[in-house]
Structures are given as C-alpha cells and as structure tokens.
Amino acid sequence: MKDMIKPILIHPDPRLKKLCAPVTDLSDELRKLADDMLETMYDAPGIGLAAPQVGVLNRLIVMDCIKEGTPEPTVMFNPEVLSSSDDENVYEEGCLSIPEQFADVTRPASVRVGWIDMDGNPREKDFDGLWATCVQHEIDHLNGKLFIDYLKPMKRQMMTRKSQKMKRERARG
Ligand code: K1U
Ligand code: ZN
C-alpha cells in the first residue's frame, strides 16, 4: 500500500506527555507505520519523528540527518541509550510538534544506542554530531519529554502559549 502522510500532533497534547510502550511484536502494521512516519518526516520537512507525534504510543522513531547527498532513512524500534559521553554539545533544537520555535539544548555530544531494526535484528551504533542530538530528542519523545522541558519555566511557558495559539489557528483553518 502507498505510504501516507500522517497529521503531526501539536503541543500541548496529552499524548505527547505519555510513556510509550515497548514494541513486542514487529508486525507488518508497525513496519507500515514506520514507512508512513518517514514519508511524514520528509514531507514536514524534519530530520526525525517519534510515534507519539502521530498519536501512536509505541517505542518507534525514524530519522534522517543527512542534509545533502544520499538519504539515510533510519528506523528504530525500542531504541535505548546504552552509554553517553561526558562531553556535551549545545544545539538549537526545533520540534515538529512545537512549530517555528527553537531553543538551545545541552546534551551529551555522543551516545551509543541499541535498537531493533525493520528486519527484527538487534543493532548497536555510536552517534555523534546532529545524529546524536536528534536520536536523544526522539527517545525523549518516547518518554513523554519535549525539548522545552530542558528550558527555564518562563521560557517553556512562553513557547507553550505560542504553540497553543498556533494549534488553535491551524484548527480554525
Ligand atoms: O522530533 C521532531 O520533532 C523532529 C525534529 C528533530 C530535531 C530537530 C533539531 C534537533 C533535534 C531534533 C525536527 O526535525 S525539527 C525540523 C528541523 O530541525 C529541520 C527541518 C528541515 C531541515 C533541517 C532541519
Ligand atoms: Zn520533537
């Protein structure tokens, strides 16, 4: 079946605050969801997307942080950070669920991540640069955490209000 672009939930939404359940059965339905999420991410456009952002509360993320050249669509079921570097990196992050707003977030500069791939095989890999930032941002989504949760309360509240306004405007059409 053809890949479908899914609507992306906008913050605030209770589904973006939930702890997502591990994937226990890698079904064709979940593989189709992963393909639809990649299509949705490229269309947005974005460099990552987590299942709760399309309203599915399972531990699934997709990413492609290649800016130029051959795309690297990456699908991870049950991703987990196995180890993190002591050195940190600051990146001005955005989120497709908090449109048009950006803020600096400090995270470990490199991480080792384990996950299950589309064929059901366990994988492990070290990530650095934008990939490291993105994979941590996406895994946070699976734990109900948004990048604004790293900010001071005043700034978080301001960004939440802006997002709420944008959500209302989009709903009105
Ligand atoms: O999870 C998401 O909401 C996707 C988000 C991922 C992300 C961005 C920046 C740092 C960490 C994680 C995005 O993709 S926001 C859009 C974006 O960053 C982008 C869009 C087009 C070209 C390049 C970047
Ligand atoms: Zn996000």
Side-chain angles (χ1 to χ4, degrees):
M1 209 210 287
K2 210 169 156 299
D3 293 342
M4 277 171 49
I5 291 163
K6 303 222 166 233
I8 297 174
L9 300 182
I10 303 298
H11 168 69
D13 186 298
R15 289 166 287 183
L16 294 172
K17 302 304 295 173
K18 296 270 196 271
L19 178 68
C20 294
V23 169
T24 50
D25 173 30
L26 193 41
S27 60
D28 285 347
E29 192 187 340
L30 276 170
R31 284 195 188 89
K32 167 78 168 74
L33 172 64
D35 285 336
D36 289 348
M37 283 171 58
L38 279 169
E39 188 82 0
T40 303
M41 177 192 79
Y42 287 123
D43 177 73
I47 56 171
L49 192 68
Q53 292 181 279
V54 292
V56 177
L57 300 182
N58 280 123
R59 301 187 80 82
L60 161 62
I61 64 173
V62 300
M63 295 186 294
D64 189 348
C65 298
I66 300 291
K67 286 177 183 156
E68 279 168 25
T70 316
E72 261 183 54
T74 303
V75 173
M76 296 182 174
F77 296 96
N78 300 340
E80 52 178 323
V81 174
L82 302 175
S83 60
S84 308
S85 62
D86 289 334
D87 57 318
E88 293 179 325
N89 195 24
V90 182
Y91 192 87
E92 192 181 43
E93 297 192 14
C95 181
L96 296 173
S97 296
I98 308 176
E100 294 171 30
Q101 299 195 74
F102 304 88
D104 281 352
V105 177
T106 305
R107 299 182 188 270
S110 53
V111 284
R112 186 160 188 83
V113 176
W115 73 95
I116 305 294
D117 71 14
M118 278 283 241
D119 301 318
N121 296 316
R123 301 275 301 270
E124 265 186 47
K125 193 177 164 183
D126 292 313
F127 292 93
D128 59 17
L130 184 53
W131 283 92
T133 298
C134 189
V135 74
Q136 292 174 81
H137 176 117
E138 300 311 331
I139 292 173
D140 273 355
H141 272 300
L142 305 181
N143 296 322
K145 187 162 182 163
L146 300 173
F147 81 98
I148 56 170
D149 294 328
Y150 291 93
L151 309 178
K152 293 200 177 107
M154 282 280 275
K155 179 136 195 205
R156 184 166 62 239
Q157 197 176 62
M158 196 191 76
M159 290 175 84
T160 295
R161 286 201 181 125
K162 261 189 165 176
S163 187
Q164 197 154 29
K165 187 164 173 256
M166 192 161 281
K167 186 174 169 174
R168 257 188 256 116
E169 283 166 2
R170 284 190 184 184
R172 267 192 232 114

